[in-house]
Amino acid sequence: MILIRGMHLPFLTAAAILVLRILQPARAGTYVEAASLMDSLIVESGYKPQLRPLWNQSDTLEVYLVFELFSIVEVNDVFQSFTCNGFMAFLWHDQLLRWNASDYGGEFLMTPKSTDVFRPRVALLNTMGERDIFKDDTAPVLVRPNGLTSWVPGSIFHVSCKLDLTNYPFDEQTCKLDMVVMDFPPNMLTFVALSETASKSFFIENGEWQLMSTKVQTESLAVNDDPVSSIVVTFTMRRKSKFLVISVLLPIVLLSLLNLFVFVIPVHSGEKISFGITVLLALSVFMSIISAMLPRSAESMPLMIRYIFSLLMISLITVVDSIIIVRLHHMEEKGEQLPQTTATESRHFSSLVPKVVIPRSRQSASPLGIFRVSLENKDSRSGSGSRSSSSLSEVTGKGQPKANKYKMVRKHIDLVSLVLFGIVWVAVTAEFMISVS
């Protein structure tokens, strides 16, 4: 026997075995001899592909395997699925397909139809598509004179994978391919992994995920209380977060930082509230974008969603704070405009006083007296206006406008809010960075 259980030599991989077996010098007979070989071993011998190829059916058939990974096709965060492209190399000894090469013109290789010989039927337990993944596979079966048989079927493995998105987009995920034997219990057919890791001879890197490690192990599982031999291929991957950091996370951090400058914008510019609302809407858009990239019913809330929600609440509070500041500003303007209006009305009223008093003067009976009184009133109009204004101020009790306290309160609120929300922003951002690191 060429393959030995527990053998860990470097050349014991499926690719190496197949290459060495196929490329080694081999002699071949004529077409008639090859057809005679196939007829004698498969047709005339009554070969049954449903039975294990063992003369003693009480023995256990050992099937050796190696998983060849070609590429990671997709890791879907929303549907919680994992898709990869790979081949599974199966090797076993078929005791019924043995011959003496010299009897058939030196024929050292037989390639029967895959459905005419025994093949292990494997079911993918956690699949999201076809469960019997290799049933229609037409990969060739290669048989050597000593009965060594190799079969290398390939497929796109689309399986469900429970993802932990707590540290998204700085997360690591572990996905598995769970395969079991469909026809025989472990005492009749068992799998043996030639390598503890998946082969990556032809592996193509994924643009979104970095493959950290792989693991191939065989074990016995209980399916409906019946033990079955299983193959578990485990992939550990780390997300390449550079794209998401530049396109999503960094703009969110900068937008939230801009949100603090709402307290620096002058109130009289009229852009204080609109600026805060613009930043609030921008954060809402980014939150909706990230929510569309994540599953709707995640068991663990991503820290990034919590971080954006915290920034959203900070932005909302800053808008409310800005509305209060603008309201205080308008209350201040109302307090200053009332004394100014009263003084204007007083001056206007005093300018009308001489016109009312002159016709009632008894000393202006003659035209000369009327002319003299008019000149006196004309010369003293400005002085009379000032005295009348002062008299009116004394009567009404209105003095010069006092300093409005709302102005001082508004300035303090702006300053305190800038410092307070700045500290909160630094604390929330630092907590998020520490949590995902």
Side-chain angles (χ1 to χ4, degrees):
M1 179 178 292
I2 297 177
L3 299 176
I4 303 175
R5 181 193 295 269
M7 204 170 180
H8 299 289
L9 296 177
F11 63 88
L12 284 180
T13 62
I17 292 175
L18 294 179
V19 169
L20 290 175
R21 293 291 176 179
I22 295 174
L23 297 184
Q24 70 178 3
R27 293 175 297 155
T30 63
Y31 175 84
V32 175
E33 292 172 335
S36 176
L37 172 64
M38 192 170 297
D39 289 339
S40 62
L41 293 180
I42 297 177
V43 179
E44 298 175 0
S45 64
Y47 189 97
K48 301 296 182 182
Q50 300 86 358
L51 301 178
R52 294 174 301 139
L54 298 174
W55 291 115
N56 186 357
Q57 290 293 304
S58 62
D59 293 340
T60 301
L61 177 63
E62 293 183 346
V63 178
Y64 300 87
L65 59 93
V66 169
F67 185 81
E68 177 72 38
L69 179 64
F70 274 16
S71 64
I72 297 175
V73 179
E74 182 187 24
V75 179
N76 196 308
D77 299 324
V78 177
F79 295 102
Q80 300 275 291
S81 65
F82 169 75
T83 306
C84 69
N85 180 16
F87 283 82
M88 182 70 76
F90 297 98
L91 299 102
W92 66 94
H93 282 272
D94 194 319
Q95 296 180 1
L96 279 69
L97 299 180
R98 292 180 177 178
W99 70 93
N100 189 350
S102 60
D103 295 340
Y104 297 93
E107 191 71 36
F108 273 84
L109 181 66
M110 182 175 65
T111 58
K113 189 177 179 181
S114 59
T115 55
D116 292 339
V117 297
F118 169 83
R119 295 178 302 167
R121 289 189 62 192
V122 178
L124 189 59
L125 290 182
N126 57 339
T127 181
M128 298 186 71
E130 184 67 32
R131 196 167 303 278
D132 192 357
I133 52 177
F134 300 138
K135 67 175 182 179
D136 297 326
D137 196 286
T138 57
V141 177
L142 306 180
V143 185
R144 288 288 171 175
N146 60 356
L148 177 63
T149 306
S150 62
W151 179 48
V152 189
S155 180
I156 301 296
F157 300 88
H158 185 52
V159 298
S160 60
C161 179
K162 187 177 181 180
L163 304 178
D164 183 8
L165 299 174
T166 302
N167 294 326
Y168 178 89
F170 307 98
D171 53 330
E172 289 188 5
Q173 303 297 338
T174 300
C175 295
K176 297 181 179 181
L177 304 179
D178 295 324
M179 293 173 280
V180 297
V181 179
M182 297 182 63
D183 297 332
F184 306 101
N187 62 336
M188 299 181 69
L189 190 150
T190 183
F191 286 122
V192 179
L194 290 179
S195 176
E196 296 181 353
T197 59
S199 176
K200 296 182 290 183
S201 303
F202 307 98
F203 180 69
I204 301 175
E205 287 285 345
N206 185 272
E208 186 179 358
W209 292 90
Q210 178 184 0
L211 184 63
M212 304 299 295
S213 64
T214 60
K215 185 178 181 181
V216 180
Q217 57 184 356
T218 59
E219 56 187 19
S220 180
L221 296 179
V223 179
N224 296 328
D225 297 331
D226 296 328
V228 293
S229 182
S230 67
I231 312 164
V232 181
V233 184
T234 306
F235 306 92
T236 302
M237 303 159 291
R238 176 181 297 169
R239 191 189 304 270
K240 297 179 181 179
S241 57
K242 184 177 180 180
F243 173 77
L244 290 173
V245 168
I246 295 177
S247 62
V248 178
L249 184 58
L250 189 58
I252 290 175
V253 175
L254 296 179
L255 276 175
S256 61
L257 180 61
L258 283 178
N259 199 27
L260 301 177
F261 290 91
V262 70
F263 301 110
V264 183
I265 300 176
V267 178
H268 57 78
S269 66
E271 299 295 334
K272 201 176 188 69
I273 298 179
S274 61
F275 178 82
I277 293 177
T278 301
V279 175
L280 177 63
L281 293 177
L283 289 175
S284 302
V285 170
F286 273 103
M287 188 170 184
S288 63
I289 292 175
I290 296 179
S291 299
M293 300 167 61
L294 301 176
R296 303 294 187 273
S297 58
E299 295 182 1
S300 56
M301 180 67 67
L303 294 176
M304 190 171 182
I305 292 294
R306 298 180 183 179
Y307 174 63
I308 298 176
F309 181 75
S310 301
L311 297 180
L312 197 65
M313 295 304 299
I314 293 175
S315 180
L316 178 63
I317 297 175
T318 56
V319 171
V320 174
D321 197 2
S322 300
I323 294 174
I324 296 175
I325 292 173
V326 172
R327 174 61 180 167
L328 292 176
H329 175 73
H330 286 289
M331 290 176 65
E332 181 185 41
E333 288 183 350
K334 185 177 180 181
E336 290 178 350
Q337 289 175 0
L338 182 58
Q340 184 179 0
T341 304
T342 304
T344 303
E345 293 177 352
S346 300
R347 289 194 297 270
H348 180 65
F349 177 76
S350 62
S351 64
L352 299 177
V353 172
K355 297 179 181 180
V356 177
V357 176
I358 291 172
R360 296 183 180 181
S361 177
R362 296 181 180 179
Q363 299 178 359
S364 57
S366 62
L368 183 59
I370 294 173
F371 179 73
R372 184 174 60 251
V373 173
S374 300
L375 292 176
E376 291 175 355
N377 290 336
K378 184 177 180 180
D379 295 337
S380 61
R381 180 169 296 177
S382 59
S384 299
S386 299
R387 289 191 298 271
S388 298
S389 177
S390 300
S391 300
L392 184 60
S393 298
E394 294 175 357
V395 173
T396 58
K398 300 291 184 179
Q400 295 296 327
K402 299 180 179 179
N404 199 317
K405 295 182 180 180
Y406 291 117
K407 183 176 182 180
M408 186 176 298
V409 172
R410 175 179 61 80
K411 290 182 178 180
H412 282 83
I413 292 178
D414 263 332
L415 181 59
V416 172
S417 298
L418 178 61
V419 175
L420 178 62
F421 284 104
I423 295 174
V424 172
W425 179 84
V426 171
V428 170
T429 304
E431 192 273 338
F432 169 72
M433 294 300 178
I434 293 174
S435 299
V436 298
S437 62

